[in-house]
């Protein structure tokens, strides 16, 4: 039925966004804790309130950067100009914003796996072009390009990125600490305005160099400590 | 790592790539011991790679590397974020990535063995990851395990009942296990092993060799 | 609140090759409250000749290190950022030429309660320039809650991005997040063009090899003394004595 005449169909909600943000998207995300595993080991995250602080901090730093770069990648994929020559430059902008090697590695691993999944689920010349130009793209680059291939807008891509920045970390905390999953989902629901703000602030136009670059020194430390841990359940 | 521009690994029919063999089963049943035995026995004639899925550490990978049964670079460990069965069934991306990394680095390979983290009786490999799977039980779990079934026991291409040397000690009746397994598995094969007594796991290795031969015959790179 | 008006001031320092080789500090332009003093053949110190910066101030410092020259820039005292009318801003731009060396290591910036500060750094490096750039931020004077601050650092090398970082301070829930500063009251970084092979971590400090040619030492600490010692520890890990 034509959405215009059926008010039950809300064209503003893109189903592709749900697929991209779903933790069941088989792109390896379940094995990343976004620093939570090390924060649990160190004791910094130990209950629902400390997890709340962690997630909010993560969203407004790493999440803000990821959302902005993802939106930029989605816009870049949409062109014009043809995106292929630009992927390397945009990818370098993510590199420059990710000081910790363990985080760069985690981002590229997740980016590569997402690109693999996206190429099969939403086959498109844009994704083939990205795979040629940057076979191991940073996650925001892969997510932005995949979002475009799936028919999502840069704003929607930014929302998926913002949610990705906290969703996986929240699930990891549930598993590691045995937290009440309903309480943790309550936290995520409470972050809805923040998610909207972070995604809304990610603009798709303009120059790349001035995109957000929020640093989270504690996450950098946690990531490198985690990379050195002997016992580890999560990749990052 | 994994710079699979051409994505040939994804040829849905598997042409031009190695047979991927999943080895699953409950904790401590002897999966790693079996993988080591297969490397020992098949290594001289086949080009191999191994991916391990550990729950905590890279212990299994370390064990295999120390065992010296295979060039240690050909053994990759995947971290599974608390959920070993997710990594072999629902979200196989990290495992596929590891398999493809091995093929990119050392290919063409004949066989890539993926050992799952010891989990539970319901954990089986996705068909998107493993072309064949072996489910390893051990007799010390009790002789009623095959009767209880579960997807691993019933659907695996090969069921291995290991540690038969312990059967007298734990009072397990191998005859009962054989009969019960046959009842739930139909014609699918069951092999009884003691890797302690036969570190070459000769019978299992023979079955795997047949699978590799059949696979490479059916999926040769230039076959049409 | 110190009784003075908001100021607009731009200071500058530039080097040139000395006739017999070496460095000549050939331009030193002070503008109160930013006063520059030459304290050695290639050493300059920033001397504050008025309180602040305070709200409404727009200060800038331009650093130009000519090819094959050396400059060391420090400051004589910590900068105390105070509230005033509106936001204060300190913009530092630096160009470091081919084969030139810059060491920028001023005393910490202390964000007094109620301040609203913006600290912008733009660093443009030639391919083989050598730089050590240290920044330390103290979240409030003793026992005081920090004001607000937005710091941004952009370093490019041959026009390509090498390090881009922003720090925001002033939302207590975010500042104390275990993902951001946690329990720390001081945050600091030292950016170096010297590469290291492997990351190194210790209590409150990490030595991070960047994707491009360079290293970031990143530290969190309870106080300024601990912060300095952590950063220096990391800097030594980059340049073994
Ligand atoms: N008695 C006896 N012990 C065996 C046999 N096969 C393996 N084991 C021992 O059983 C223990 C577990 O073997 P592994 O190969 O590590 O088992 P696994 O299934 O890989 O274990 P997880 O990966 O931890 O789930 C080891 O101590 C082995 O030496 C066997 O045939 N007989
Ligand atoms: Mg094992």
């Amino acid at each position: 039925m034509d959405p215009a005449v059926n008010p039950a169909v809300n064209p503003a909600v893109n189903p592709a966004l749900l697929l991209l943000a779903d933790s069941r998207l088989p792109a390896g995300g379940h094995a990343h804790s976004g620093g939570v595993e090390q924060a649990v080991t160190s004791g910094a995250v130990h209950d629902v309130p400390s997890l709340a602080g962690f997630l909010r901090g993560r969203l407004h730093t790493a999440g803000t950067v990821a959302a902005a770069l993802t939106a930029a990648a989605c816009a870049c994929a949409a062109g014009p100009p043809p995106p292929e020559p630009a992927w390397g430059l945009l990818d370098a902008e993510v590199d420059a914003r990710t000081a910790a090697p363990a985080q760069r590695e985690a981002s590229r691993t997740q980016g590569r796996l997402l690109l693999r999944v996206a190429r099969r689920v939403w086959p498109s010349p844009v994704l083939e072009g990205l795979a040629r130009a940057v076979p191991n793209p940073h996650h925001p680059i892969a997510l932005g390009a995949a979002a475009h291939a799936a028919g999502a807008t840069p704003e929607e891509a930014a929302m998926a990125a913002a949610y990705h920045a906290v969703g996986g970390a929240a699930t990891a905390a549930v598993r590691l600490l045995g937290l009440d999953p309903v309480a943790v989902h309550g936290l995520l629901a409470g972050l809805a305005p923040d998610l909207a703000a972070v995604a809304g602030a990610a603009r798709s136009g303009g120059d790349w160099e001035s995109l957000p670059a929020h640093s989270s020194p504690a996450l950098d430390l946690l990531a490198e400590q985690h990379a050195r841990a002997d016992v580890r359940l999560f990749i990052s | 790592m994994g710079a699979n521009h051409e994505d040939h690994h994804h040829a849905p029919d598997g042409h031009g790539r190695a047979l991927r063999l999943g080895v699953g089963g409950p904790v401590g049943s002897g999966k790693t011991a079996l993988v080591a035995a297969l490397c020992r026995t098949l290594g001289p004639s086949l080009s191999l790679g191994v991916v391990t899925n550990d729950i905590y550490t890279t212990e299994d990978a370390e064990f295999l590397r120390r065992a010296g049964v295979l060039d240690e670079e050909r053994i990759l460990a995947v971290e599974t974020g608390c959920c070993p069965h997710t990594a072999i069934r629902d979200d196989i991306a990290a495992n596929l990535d590891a398999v493809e990394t091995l093929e990119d680095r050392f290919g063409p390979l004949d066989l890539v063995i993926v050992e799952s983290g010891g989990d539970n009786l319901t954990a089986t490999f996705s068909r998107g990851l493993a072309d064949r799977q072996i489910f390893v039980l051990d007799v010390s779990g009790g002789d009623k395990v095959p009767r209880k079934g579960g997807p691993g026991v019933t659907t695996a291409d090969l069921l291995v009942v290991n540690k038969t040397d312990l059967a007298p000690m734990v009072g397990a009746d191998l005859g009962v296990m054989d009969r019960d397994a046959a009842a739930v598995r139909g014609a699918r094969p069951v092999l009884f092993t003691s890797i302690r007594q036969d570190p070459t796991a000769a019978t299992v290795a023979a079955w795997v060799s047949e699978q590799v031969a059949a696979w490479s015959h059916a999926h040769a790179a230039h076959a049409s | 609140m110190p009784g003075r008006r908001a100021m607009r001031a731009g200071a500058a320092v530039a080097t040139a090759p000395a006739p017999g080789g070496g460095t000549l500090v050939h331009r030193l332009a002070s503008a109160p409250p930013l006063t520059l003093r030459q304290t050695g053949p290639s050493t300059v110190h920033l001397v504050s000749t008025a309180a602040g910066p305070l709200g409404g101030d727009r200060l800038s410092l331009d650093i130009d290190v000519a090819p094959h020259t050396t400059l060391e820039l420090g400051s004589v005292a910590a900068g105390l950022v105070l509230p005033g009318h509106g936001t204060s801003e300190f913009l530092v731009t630096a160009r470091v030429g081919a084969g030139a060396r810059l060491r920028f290591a001023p005393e910490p910036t202390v964000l007094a309660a109620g301040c609203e500060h913006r600290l912008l750094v733009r660093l443009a490096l030639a391919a083989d320039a050598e730089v050590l750039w240290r920044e330390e931020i103290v979240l409030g004077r003793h026992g005081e809650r920090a004001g607000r601050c937005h710091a941004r650092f952009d370093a490019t090398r041959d026009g390509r991005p090498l390090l881009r970082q922003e720090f925001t301070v002033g939302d207590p829930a975010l500042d104390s997040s275990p993902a951001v500063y946690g329990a720390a009251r001081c945050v600091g970084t030292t950016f170096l063009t010297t590469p290291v092979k492997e990351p190194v971590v210790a209590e409150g400090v990490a030595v991070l090899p960047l994707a491009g040619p360079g290293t970031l030492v990143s530290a969190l600490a309870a106080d300024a003394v601990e912060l300095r010692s952590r950063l220096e520890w990391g800097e030594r890990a980059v340049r073994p004595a």
Side-chain angles (χ1 to χ4, degrees):
Chain A
M1 191 182 291
D2 179 356
V5 298
N6 181 356
V9 177
N10 179 358
V13 177
N14 185 336
L17 178 64
L18 302 181
L19 290 172
L20 281 168
D22 191 338
S23 66
R24 287 165 296 189
L25 183 75
H30 71 98
H32 292 264
S33 82
V36 159
E37 180 168 33
Q38 193 60 33
V40 167
T41 305
S42 76
V45 169
H46 49 87
D47 57 8
V48 172
S50 54
L51 176 64
F54 182 94
L55 294 179
R56 227 169 90 76
R58 196 172 202 290
L59 176 59
H60 285 279
T61 53
T64 299
V65 176
L69 275 293
T70 301
C74 187
C76 177
E84 205 164 323
W87 288 128
L89 299 174
L90 191 52
D91 193 69
E93 291 290 348
V94 183
D95 260 346
R97 287 164 174 79
T98 321
Q103 288 182 330
R104 287 198 298 275
E105 167 105 25
S107 168
R108 289 198 183 280
T109 302
Q110 293 183 81
R112 178 173 70 244
L113 300 193
L114 175 58
L115 179 58
R116 170 214 307 285
V117 169
R119 286 166 75 188
R120 290 182 62 195
V121 177
W122 297 286
S124 82
V126 161
L127 294 176
E128 296 311 306
L130 173 58
R132 266 192 306 274
V134 188
N136 295 312
H138 275 296
H139 186 262
I141 309 297
L143 182 54
H148 171 73
T153 64
E155 292 70 24
E156 289 166 336
M159 181 63 87
Y163 181 67
H164 182 265
V166 289
T171 307
V174 169
R175 292 189 194 161
L176 291 165
L177 290 167
L179 298 179
D180 174 0
V182 180
V184 173
H185 253 68
L187 285 185
L188 291 174
L191 282 175
D194 296 66
L195 285 164
V198 165
R203 58 187 168 79
S204 50
D207 64 289
W208 291 340
E209 60 216 55
S210 60
L211 290 173
H214 297 281
S215 162
S216 24
L219 282 182
D220 292 352
L221 283 167
L222 290 169
E224 292 304 327
Q225 285 159 353
H226 187 264
R228 262 153 216 77
D230 291 329
V231 173
R232 201 165 51 203
L233 292 162
F234 290 83
I235 301 170
S236 72
Chain B
M1 154 166 191
N4 49 320
H5 319 204
E6 305 308 327
D7 215 20
H8 53 90
H9 311 288
H10 282 129
D13 54 1
H15 273 160
R17 64 159 174 81
L19 175 74
R20 296 169 184 176
L21 174 68
V23 176
V27 181
S29 60
K31 297 180 292 297
T32 305
L34 177 62
V35 173
L38 292 174
C39 291
R40 220 175 269 129
T41 310
L42 302 174
S45 54
L46 298 178
S47 180
L48 299 179
V50 170
V51 177
T52 64
N53 282 252
D54 282 309
I55 306 189
Y56 273 107
T57 54
T58 53
E59 219 171 273
D60 282 355
E62 292 309 325
F63 174 86
L64 290 169
R65 287 178 185 135
R66 273 199 314 275
V69 289
L70 193 64
D71 171 8
E72 50 183 80
E73 311 235 293
R74 290 175 176 247
I75 303 166
L76 289 185
V78 166
E79 278 136 320
T80 57
C82 280
C83 277
H85 57 267
T86 302
I88 61 160
R89 190 183 53 202
D90 310 309
D91 182 350
I92 56 177
N95 268 298
L96 280 179
D97 191 52
V99 169
E100 288 169 12
T101 300
L102 287 171
E103 298 204 59
D104 286 344
R105 283 193 201 152
F106 303 106
L109 300 176
D110 300 307
L111 174 65
V112 180
I113 305 176
V114 182
E115 179 189 339
S116 79
D119 203 337
N120 54 38
L121 290 172
T122 64
T124 52
F125 284 85
S126 158
R127 290 287 164 197
L129 175 61
D131 305 306
R132 299 284 181 277
Q133 45 190 309
I134 298 180
F135 200 75
V136 183
L137 290 178
D138 70 52
V139 301
S140 58
D143 55 20
K144 62 183 181 306
V145 173
R147 192 175 338 134
K148 281 188 172 170
V153 171
T154 50
T155 66
D157 299 293
L158 173 66
L159 179 67
V160 169
V161 180
N162 186 35
K163 306 195 191 179
T164 54
D165 55 299
L166 297 180
M169 277 161 263
V170 299
D173 184 334
L174 300 181
V176 167
M177 294 182 90
D178 199 16
R179 212 173 44 236
D180 290 347
V184 292
R185 290 177 54 77
R188 277 190 278 270
V190 182
L191 290 172
F192 287 79
T193 59
S194 166
I195 298 171
R196 182 65 47 92
Q197 287 168 346
D198 173 16
T200 68
T203 52
V204 181
W207 180 86
V208 173
S209 293
E210 276 170 34
Q211 304 302 314
V212 172
W215 177 267
S216 53
H217 182 73
H219 300 90
H222 301 295
S224 54
Chain C
M1 195 187 295
R4 70 163 173 85
R5 290 164 170 280
M7 298 196 234
R8 262 157 217 280
V13 52
T15 62
T23 300
L24 197 72
V25 175
H26 93 125
R27 180 173 141 80
L28 205 57
S30 296
L34 297 176
T35 302
L36 294 167
R37 295 237 166 87
Q38 187 166 359
T39 47
S42 57
T43 310
V44 170
H45 276 82
L46 194 58
V47 183
S48 275
T49 44
L54 58 105
D57 284 357
R58 288 276 182 283
L59 312 179
S60 66
L61 171 63
D62 189 74
I63 303 167
D64 192 3
V65 190
H68 307 290
T69 65
T70 299
L71 179 67
E72 259 192 57
L73 220 145
S75 68
V76 295
L80 180 64
V81 185
L82 293 164
H85 301 288
T87 305
S88 53
E89 182 183 289
F90 188 27
L91 166 66
V92 185
T93 43
R95 291 168 305 285
V96 188
R101 291 163 59 172
L102 169 65
R103 181 186 163 91
F104 180 88
E107 296 307 302
T109 300
V110 181
L111 305 174
C115 76
E116 285 267 356
H117 191 51
R118 199 156 50 219
L119 173 62
L120 303 169
V121 175
R122 289 179 204 140
L123 187 54
L125 311 178
D128 60 348
E130 248 182 74
V131 170
L132 178 150
W133 190 283
R134 188 194 291 148
E135 283 181 20
E136 296 162 315
I137 298 176
V138 178
L139 313 191
R141 286 171 293 196
H142 188 71
E144 165 185 89
R145 228 178 77 179
R148 305 185 77 86
C149 176
H150 173 213
R152 177 152 183 143
F153 177 91
D154 286 278
T156 57
R157 190 181 180 101
D158 248 357
R160 280 190 294 273
L162 187 48
L163 178 65
R164 302 197 193 279
Q165 289 214 106
E166 283 175 273
F167 291 96
T168 55
V169 175
D171 176 340
L174 286 183
D175 295 349
S176 64
S177 162
V180 186
Y181 311 129
R185 301 289 301 148
C186 298
V187 50
T189 55
T190 305
F191 161 75
L192 303 102
T193 48
T194 313
V196 287
K197 275 220 176 67
E198 294 291 329
V200 188
V201 260
E203 180 74 27
V205 54
V207 178
L208 307 167
L210 299 174
T215 303
L216 185 73
V217 179
S218 174
L220 290 170
D223 57 55
V225 174
E226 187 179 58
L227 181 70
R228 178 65 61 87
S229 83
R230 286 179 174 175
L231 287 174
E232 285 180 341
W233 178 88
E235 292 162 17
R236 282 194 301 276
V238 179
R239 295 165 186 236

